[in-house]
Amino acid sequence: MPAVYVLFGALLTVTTSLALGKLLLRQLGIRLYRQEEHVFAFVTGAVCLSAITFLLCALGAARKGVFLGVGLVALAIAVWRGMHRPVGEPLPPLRGFWKWLFGVPFAVFAVLYFFNAMAPEFSPDGSGYHLGLVARHLRTRGFARLTTNMYANLSQGVELLYLYAFAWGRHSAAALVHFAFLVTLPLAMLAYARRFGFAPAGVCGAILVFAAPVVGIDGTTAYNDVALACVLFTLFYLLQIWAAEPSPALLVPIGLLAGFCYAAKYTAFLAVAYALLFIGWKLLRRRQPMWRPLLLVSTCALVMIVPWMAKNWIILRNPLSPFFNAWFPNPYVHVSFEKEYARNLRHYDGLNSYAEIPLEVTVRGSVLGGLLGPVFLLAPVGLGAVAWPAGRQLLLAAAIFGAPYAANIGTRFLIPPAPFLALAMGLVLARLPGAVPVVVLVHTLASWPSVLTRYCAPTAWRLTGIPWRAALRLQSEEDFLNSKTTLYGVARMIERLAPPGSRVLSLDQIPEAYTSRDVIVGYQSAFGNVAREMLYTPLMSDVVPAGRVRFRFPPQALRAIRVVQTASGGPDHWSIAELRLFHGERELDRAPDWRLRAHPNPWGVQRAFDASPLTRWRSWQELFPGMFVAVDLGRREIVDSVLLECSRDQYKVALKLEGRDESGAWKLLSDAPEQWEGTLELGLRRGAVEELKALGITHLLLFDHDFGADDFRTKGAVWGVTQLGEWYGARLYRLD
Amino acid sequence: MPRRFLLAAVTLAGCTSIPDTYAPPIQRKPLNPSEPRAFGHFVNMNDPNAEAYFVKDVSPNLEGGAWRWTGKRPELKFFLDSVDNLSFVMDYTIAEPTFTSTGPVNISIFINGQLLERLHEKTHGERHFSKPAPPALLRKKGVNVVAMEIDKVWVSPADRAVLGFVLTRAGFRQ
């Protein structure tokens, strides 16, 4: 992608946001200082542009030309209405020393960040799902019904801004949009501090955040944490202005921004509650009516929130997907996955104790993915800011927006509260003569890539230099990306060797943003979980349905039977590969008018009745009494035994069989089944591949470190697969 | 693609109910369509139909719920739907009481009369044997007889019963 397109895509997004924001703010008659207006206009405009892009995606009109049209119209109206002419008074001036102390580090790091953002995108999540989904939206011109990627179920407010830029400038344009938020954040922090009279603290806080290594790398890639931090801080800033100068008009952008925080990231859902409680508390203390203001804020917030919930409700039957699946049962995300996912986010491999977190997030940066810089070890001094009203507000915001960190202890989840904490630190340090310049100097030096390398962990997530040749496209994207990650080549191998329309099952996330093929990652959906299990069944003795459980009872006419599970607890799940009914030696044919039911996971019940040893109904939840699989026979049938073919990975399961006769009442038929080990069928590997093909999967991507990879490599003919290509230990197979 | 996404939202929300009962799905074809019900490619000695696999010299008595004594030359029959990429697999035990009497033994494994392997057992204990079976030794879509001949047996002084070794499971796997 030529650099000019990259810049155009990003500039179109930023200028359209600015135009929309200025139009909104001036239409509302909000009076701001001149420097503030730019900040608020960009952020509120971005919120509006994201909402417009959502609408276009919903209408299937997410096209390059449409985006350009929206931008040109917004810009034309803005110019026509004179939005380019500054209004408002300038903020109180920044004294020379402080101007330099802020300006020099800001400019130097802005250059570093600009070239990194401009360089081809290779961040794991950015090129994996953030832009993978963006690219998919662009290909399908909107929200295609996607149920096989749980990341698509998350709100994507920031990603829709990336989409707007991506349409013209692809991956780097999206990263540049994030970069725009990155440079806006310290400007907003400084403007806030200047307005409320503690500019030195603002300089300190702004540079502490701006130069923080994890903020730098996050904000120059297609992640969204810095954008969220910027919106959260802008929301806080607007609330502080409203508290000082109550104006009903401010409540509109406050509501929009609060709602957008949810639209940007679920973990920021507290922003709405924070805004409402803040406003309610202030009005209560002023003895002013609060319901209309709160209603206005709530309505504006809901405008940003409801579309995402509605999208999930329509597509996934769960407005909060991929979470709360026990509340909103659905076939797309398993309850067990949700529990495991939440647990994994709280426990990072390599972290032996939570006591290691402070050093990890400030100095080492490897295990938790990035570092804030050693100066943040001084963060506790920020608690001293509780002595001042502004400090109390900042610490309260830091506590609220830092609370979700408990759910994900990665360093980047500290970015949203970091601006508040940094300003609180600044408030305290500014009282100590000479402390702010020293801290700023030490932090900027310690955060510069070449210095950083000397003390952080070698694998710490960070920027490593200024890739100006790649940024200006003097080095080809292909060369640059291949030099940075082998995964890019994997994505391109898929693009090259799997024909259009292919569906590739992978057990690992790859840079989906660089392939147009449908990549199903095994852990990312119920569909992927099932496909992965089918693949592994021939290789895992505990999963192969070699167990036999037979209930025998006196022959009798029944209309329905059900197998009920009575035990509770984990980690076992209950599963049945096949459920067969017998009268004597004769197995009852599975008639079309039979009706099959299961609880939980009713959607998988057919897999216990498809005559395939490679598929199974599974609870996908830990055991609880009352789980059942039932067959309504539709008429009376003489039955005297029921045979279950099942796997061994369910040691705690306790079963009983119940039957229903003409009376309609369920009665116990047997609770003491015979159990023995059955014989495994030959051809399970080939059968697994056939089942995957029945799911529409055409290719398989296996890394040499994946479980079973050796078996595929050495027994390709047995599986019925052909290796099409290999790239640094990643092998692409075609299912024959 | 939901082209009128928002406009249709309310309507769609009412239309996306997922049934909670299902009819039986299309039945999959058997993985080994020619394999008869009576016996197949692998047998555990405690399978309910294990005796369907016995040709000779395997005790009709199941011991300990899992294993059976063999005689001098036990033979089992297996049906193989295909003969590619198969290994003959056997779990067996040289029992200490018989080993004390016989000393080291040799067990020769024949598939359809052709030698696959000769095992020299110097100690007693449990064993797992697995070896690829050349397709040339096997009969596709047909019955294959596997013999496991032990060179020295223990003979009961009381009733002249002949005991070879302990067999737990045997058959073919991929």
Side-chain angles (χ1 to χ4, degrees):
Chain A
M1 178 61 57
V4 66
Y5 281 97
V6 174
L7 287 170
F8 178 75
L11 278 174
L12 180 68
T13 310
V14 172
T15 53
T16 303
S17 297
L18 269 170
L20 291 171
K22 289 206 172 188
L23 285 167
L24 177 70
L25 295 175
R26 292 198 191 172
Q27 185 68 32
L28 291 169
I30 295 172
R31 305 294 296 173
L32 297 164
Y33 286 108
R34 188 178 301 171
Q35 295 90 338
E36 286 177 333
E37 195 196 26
H38 298 309
V39 169
F40 288 123
F42 169 63
V43 178
T44 53
V47 168
C48 296
L49 183 59
S50 176
I52 291 169
T53 311
F54 184 101
L55 188 64
L56 294 173
C57 286
L59 297 172
R63 298 163 184 250
K64 200 157 78 164
V66 175
F67 291 156
L68 180 64
V70 168
L72 291 178
V73 168
L75 287 167
I77 295 173
V79 171
W80 176 54
R81 303 277 300 269
M83 301 295 158
H84 54 292
R85 295 190 198 96
V87 295
E89 298 297 314
L91 280 164
L94 199 58
R95 279 199 298 120
F97 173 75
W98 297 111
K99 191 183 285 185
W100 284 100
L101 192 63
F102 175 81
V104 172
F106 179 80
V108 170
F109 274 84
V111 170
L112 168 72
Y113 293 160
F114 172 79
F115 282 105
N116 274 282
M118 182 84 184
E121 165 76 19
F122 65 93
S123 66
D125 290 359
S127 62
Y129 64 87
H130 289 294
L131 293 185
L133 292 170
V134 162
R136 189 187 280 261
H137 294 334
L138 193 63
R139 283 198 300 276
T140 57
R141 294 175 181 164
F143 297 131
R145 187 173 183 278
L146 179 60
T147 59
T148 54
N149 184 340
M150 64 104 177
Y151 294 116
N153 315 354
L154 299 169
S155 52
Q156 301 164 48
V158 176
E159 285 79 356
L160 290 191
L161 295 171
Y162 296 165
L163 169 62
Y164 197 87
F166 186 93
W168 284 91
R170 293 290 184 261
H171 311 72
S172 300
L176 278 172
V177 172
H178 203 195
F179 165 78
F181 283 99
L182 173 60
V183 294
T184 302
L185 177 58
L187 295 175
M189 293 171 70
L190 184 60
Y192 159 76
R194 289 169 71 184
R195 172 188 267 258
F196 291 101
F198 40 87
V203 169
C204 181
I207 295 301
L208 283 184
V209 170
F210 190 58
V214 73
V215 173
I217 189 161
D218 189 291
T220 53
T221 57
Y223 281 60
N224 58 18
D225 307 279
V226 175
L228 173 63
C230 185
V231 179
L232 278 172
F233 186 79
T234 311
L235 169 67
F236 168 86
Y237 189 176
L238 276 174
L239 284 167
Q240 300 304 316
I241 295 174
W242 176 85
E245 304 164 11
S247 158
L250 280 169
L251 298 176
V252 173
I254 285 171
L256 291 175
L257 262 57
F260 184 77
C261 290
Y262 173 91
K265 215 176 185 90
Y266 280 177
T267 49
F269 70 98
L270 288 171
V272 179
Y274 169 72
L276 291 173
L277 289 172
F278 182 94
I279 292 165
W281 175 248
K282 293 288 181 190
L283 292 174
L284 190 68
R285 291 188 65 182
R286 290 177 196 152
R287 299 180 187 282
Q288 290 177 347
M290 67 172 75
W291 298 117
R292 286 185 69 148
L294 292 181
L295 188 64
L296 178 60
V297 172
S298 302
T299 304
C300 291
L302 286 173
V303 166
M304 305 307 300
I305 294 171
V306 167
W308 291 104
M309 287 189 167
K311 169 181 168 287
N312 277 355
W313 179 252
I314 293 167
I315 294 177
L316 302 152
R317 293 170 56 88
N318 176 1
L320 302 170
S321 186
F323 304 107
F324 298 96
N325 296 290
W327 292 14
F328 302 99
N330 65 84
Y332 308 114
V333 182
H334 290 136
V335 172
S336 57
F337 162 77
E338 181 190 335
K339 279 184 78 171
E340 190 181 342
Y341 181 64
R343 195 195 70 82
N344 287 344
L345 295 180
R346 290 192 300 270
H347 300 89
Y348 279 54
D349 285 343
L351 191 74
N352 301 313
S353 152
Y354 287 142
E356 294 176 4
I357 290 178
L359 263 187
E360 191 57 44
V361 301
T362 53
V363 181
R364 296 185 192 133
S366 175
V367 174
L368 297 179
L371 64 159
L372 290 162
V375 164
F376 274 89
L377 285 169
L378 297 175
V381 308
L383 293 174
V386 77
W388 305 287
R392 288 194 286 276
Q393 289 294 326
L394 288 165
L395 289 172
L396 177 66
I400 290 173
F401 299 131
Y405 182 71
N408 189 335
I409 58 171
T411 308
R412 64 191 176 90
F413 288 85
L414 288 171
I415 294 175
F420 307 103
L421 189 59
L423 281 169
M425 290 168 68
L427 277 174
V428 177
L429 294 170
R431 302 291 168 129
L432 306 172
V436 168
V438 170
V439 165
V440 166
L441 193 65
V442 169
H443 184 58
T444 50
L445 284 174
S447 300
W448 191 252
S450 56
V451 180
L452 195 57
T453 304
R454 294 172 187 272
Y455 66 86
C456 73
T459 54
W461 190 49
R462 66 193 195 279
L463 298 177
T464 54
I466 302 181
W468 62 273
R469 292 189 74 246
L472 299 175
R473 299 312 191 261
L474 299 175
Q475 179 185 11
S476 78
E477 289 189 12
E478 189 104 2
D479 283 352
F480 178 75
L481 289 167
N482 279 327
S483 73
K484 291 293 181 185
T485 171
T486 57
L487 292 177
Y488 170 76
V490 174
R492 298 312 295 168
M493 174 175 71
I494 292 174
E495 189 72 7
R496 196 172 64 252
L497 299 177
S502 298
R503 200 170 217 201
V504 183
L505 175 65
S506 171
L507 305 178
D508 308 81
Q509 184 178 288
I510 62 157
E512 290 178 44
Y514 289 107
T515 176
S516 61
R517 309 303 182 245
D518 187 11
V519 178
I520 307 291
V521 181
Y523 73 86
Q524 288 181 354
S525 64
F527 180 89
N529 298 164
V530 169
R532 181 176 58 179
E533 187 169 85
M534 286 174 185
L535 184 73
Y536 279 157
T537 295
L539 300 177
M540 300 178 77
S541 59
D542 259 18
V543 179
V544 169
R548 299 289 181 271
V549 178
R550 186 183 286 272
F551 294 94
R552 292 187 189 278
F553 48 92
Q556 54 198 285
L558 296 170
R559 289 194 68 89
I561 65 102
R562 69 181 179 194
V563 184
V564 181
Q565 199 289 127
T566 57
S568 61
D572 292 3
H573 293 186
W574 181 30
S575 67
I576 297 175
E578 286 298 311
L579 190 158
R580 301 179 190 277
L581 278 58
F582 287 86
H583 178 206
E585 290 298 307
R586 182 181 68 86
E587 182 183 352
L588 271 59
D589 290 334
R590 291 159 172 174
D593 55 346
W594 282 16
R595 285 294 169 266
L596 316 175
R597 293 169 58 221
H599 172 71
N601 191 25
W603 314 283
V605 70
Q606 288 179 307
R607 295 195 188 101
F609 295 86
D610 62 0
S612 169
L614 278 315
T615 64
R616 58 174 175 168
W617 168 84
R618 182 171 166 182
S619 62
W620 294 104
Q621 289 189 44
E622 291 178 355
L623 304 179
F624 62 82
M627 292 176 163
F628 70 83
V629 172
V631 186
D632 189 326
L633 302 169
R635 58 182 176 277
R636 296 170 69 223
E637 293 267 13
I638 306 292
V639 186
D640 63 4
S641 75
V642 170
L643 174 68
L644 307 182
E645 297 172 6
C646 42
S647 57
R648 281 182 292 211
D649 58 346
Q650 40 188 338
Y651 301 97
K652 291 184 182 172
V653 163
L655 302 176
K656 64 180 180 180
L657 182 73
E658 295 178 334
R660 197 178 67 202
D661 56 19
E662 284 298 323
S663 71
W666 289 101
K667 63 178 182 183
L668 180 68
L669 296 175
S670 169
D671 58 1
E674 306 162 21
Q675 298 191 41
W676 73 97
E677 196 75 2
T679 302
L680 298 179
E681 289 192 64
L682 286 178
L684 288 175
R685 290 179 176 85
R686 178 77 219 189
V689 165
E690 290 301 322
E691 289 296 341
L692 291 178
K693 285 164 66 180
L695 291 178
I697 291 166
T698 58
H699 294 74
L700 179 64
L701 178 72
L702 284 177
F703 289 80
D704 285 349
H705 61 254
D706 285 330
F707 176 76
D710 282 351
D711 202 78
F712 267 87
R713 203 167 58 247
T714 56
K715 295 182 178 175
V718 182
W719 284 95
V721 299
T722 301
Q723 182 177 317
L724 298 181
E726 190 264 340
W727 184 266
Y728 290 100
R731 296 167 198 275
L732 181 68
Y733 297 95
R734 183 186 63 225
L735 309 189
D736 296 327
Chain B
M1 284 338 88
R3 288 286 183 266
R4 301 287 178 271
F5 190 89
L6 286 183
L7 297 175
V10 176
T11 314
L12 281 174
C15 295
T16 53
S17 64
I18 298 174
D20 63 352
T21 66
Y22 295 83
I26 295 170
Q27 300 296 287
R28 298 286 193 266
K29 291 177 188 163
L31 296 177
N32 304 285
S34 310
E35 195 168 294
R37 281 265 174 186
F39 63 99
H41 60 279
F42 195 90
V43 62
N44 293 300
M45 288 301 112
N46 59 357
D47 284 350
N49 64 335
E51 292 191 30
Y53 291 77
F54 302 166
V55 178
K56 58 175 268 209
D57 260 0
V58 182
S59 168
N61 301 320
L62 182 66
E63 310 280 355
W67 52 271
R68 295 171 193 263
W69 280 107
T70 71
K72 180 171 174 55
R73 185 183 166 97
E75 290 184 8
L76 302 171
K77 62 184 178 184
F78 300 99
F79 186 92
L80 296 178
D81 207 50
S82 76
V83 297
D84 297 326
N85 302 296
L86 295 179
S87 293
F88 178 71
V89 177
M90 178 170 75
D91 287 342
Y92 63 104
T93 302
I94 305 299
E96 186 176 359
T98 59
F99 185 82
T100 306
S101 165
T102 61
V105 294
N106 295 309
I107 298 175
S108 303
I109 299 170
F110 300 90
I111 297 179
N112 295 323
Q114 309 236 34
L115 183 66
L116 176 70
E117 182 69 87
R118 178 164 284 123
L119 305 168
H120 183 58
E121 306 293 358
K122 296 178 185 169
T123 60
H124 59 82
E126 293 181 13
R127 303 282 192 278
H128 173 77
F129 169 74
S130 176
K131 183 174 181 180
L137 297 189
L138 302 171
R139 294 184 192 122
K140 187 176 180 179
K141 297 191 189 299
V143 176
N144 294 263
V145 176
V146 177
M148 295 148 276
E149 185 172 346
I150 188 165
D151 59 351
K152 286 180 270 185
V153 294
W154 181 82
V155 181
S156 165
D159 59 3
R160 311 303 296 167
V162 174
L163 300 181
F165 59 95
V166 165
L167 186 60
T168 307
R169 59 183 63 88
F172 293 89
R173 288 206 169 135
Q174 279 186 324

